[in-house]
Amino acid sequence: MSQLPEIIRTIERVSADVVSKAATYQAAILADVAGRRGTMHGRVAPVHQNMKVAGPAFTVEVRPGDNLMIHGAIALAQPGDVLVIDGKGDQTAALMGTLMLSACKKRGLAGVIVDGAIRDKLEILELDFPVFSAGFNPAGPTKYVPGRINHPICAGGAVVNAGDLVVGDADGVVVIEREKAPAMLALADKKVADEAARIEAIARGDTASKWLPAALRAAGVLKEGESL
């Protein structure tokens, strides 16, 4: 019976053109057109609200409180990749800090997303590098426990495969399957146009949600023929 190696070095990434286009959208727009799927739990948030990231996922799975495999991932990841780390949501010890994140920036990574704790918050703010995490803890990690690189992971409750499109901003992180990403961008264009038109209508005083009465009747809140 064949078994995948713990470290998968070669992955198929979402294209650079798709990443560049996706970076122009809010994570919320992409989440909507993806069927409101693929979003990470709200615990995974940017260190600063202005941080934004987009790129192919370079996935890492670690045991809580151990960052051995993250060091390996930093050495293997390519410029433009986003490290996505399944730290099991643990916040009892930091998995990364200024030193490791500085190395990520120097190697040209697009950003880092950690479903776990990090540390050195003030220095990270000065680093000007997109970092998302589930929290902070001053305690450092161990470097003993094996894990996996570029296997499917679950980070923030979202399934992430190596090479998937990952977009994060002030609202959080959304993951789009690599094969579906190009089609999602066309839908995102329409979504942005529709929302812009709606905002213009609201500015003119049209605040009524035309779909609301039918939805309320379907839910049994309003009787047939009844209106708000």
Side-chain angles (χ1 to χ4, degrees):
M1 182 176 178
S2 63
Q3 183 176 354
L4 289 173
E6 299 303 319
I7 297 175
I8 298 174
R9 291 171 171 80
T10 302
I11 63 173
E12 188 169 355
R13 295 167 169 84
V14 64
S15 75
D17 289 343
V18 168
V19 170
S20 178
K21 180 71 172 177
T24 66
Y25 300 115
Q26 292 177 277
I29 292 291
L30 293 172
D32 280 356
V33 300
R36 294 166 175 80
R37 297 176 62 251
T39 57
M40 292 190 184
H41 190 283
R43 67 175 177 260
V44 181
V47 175
H48 188 278
Q49 64 180 10
N50 290 338
M51 289 179 173
K52 184 168 183 177
V53 67
F58 198 90
T59 62
V60 191
E61 181 184 0
V62 301
R63 288 287 298 275
D66 192 283
N67 73 356
L68 175 64
M69 300 307 286
I70 303 175
H71 285 275
I74 294 171
L76 291 171
Q78 299 298 309
D81 286 346
V82 179
L83 283 192
V84 184
I85 300 160
D86 174 12
K88 316 303 180 188
D90 179 70
Q91 298 185 44
T92 62
L95 291 174
M96 302 181 78
T98 306
L99 297 179
M100 295 175 73
L101 292 166
S102 294
C104 289
K105 181 178 180 179
K106 184 66 175 179
R107 287 185 54 78
L109 274 62
V112 173
I113 297 169
V114 186
D115 188 9
I118 60 174
R119 65 181 182 180
D120 305 328
K121 181 175 184 178
L122 295 180
E123 293 176 351
I124 293 171
L125 290 171
E126 294 177 357
L127 187 59
D128 190 28
F129 179 71
V131 183
F132 293 64
S133 81
F136 299 87
N137 194 304
T142 58
K143 296 173 173 62
Y144 305 125
V145 185
R148 301 196 299 180
I149 295 174
N150 284 327
H151 286 250
I153 61 171
C154 180
V159 174
V160 190
N161 290 283
D164 282 350
L165 173 65
V166 181
V167 175
D169 59 20
D171 288 329
V173 179
V174 61
V175 183
I176 307 290
E177 295 161 84
R178 177 179 58 80
E179 298 88 347
K180 294 182 178 179
M184 292 302 103
L185 298 189
L187 296 176
D189 275 336
K190 183 178 185 305
K191 176 74 172 175
V192 169
D194 289 347
E195 290 199 355
R198 181 61 187 139
I199 289 173
E200 289 180 2
I202 291 171
R204 295 193 302 269
D206 179 8
T207 60
S209 298
K210 295 177 175 57
W211 53 267
L212 182 57
L216 290 172
R217 282 192 287 272
V221 178
L222 293 180
K223 297 177 181 178
E224 192 64 37
E226 186 180 11
S227 61
L228 290 176

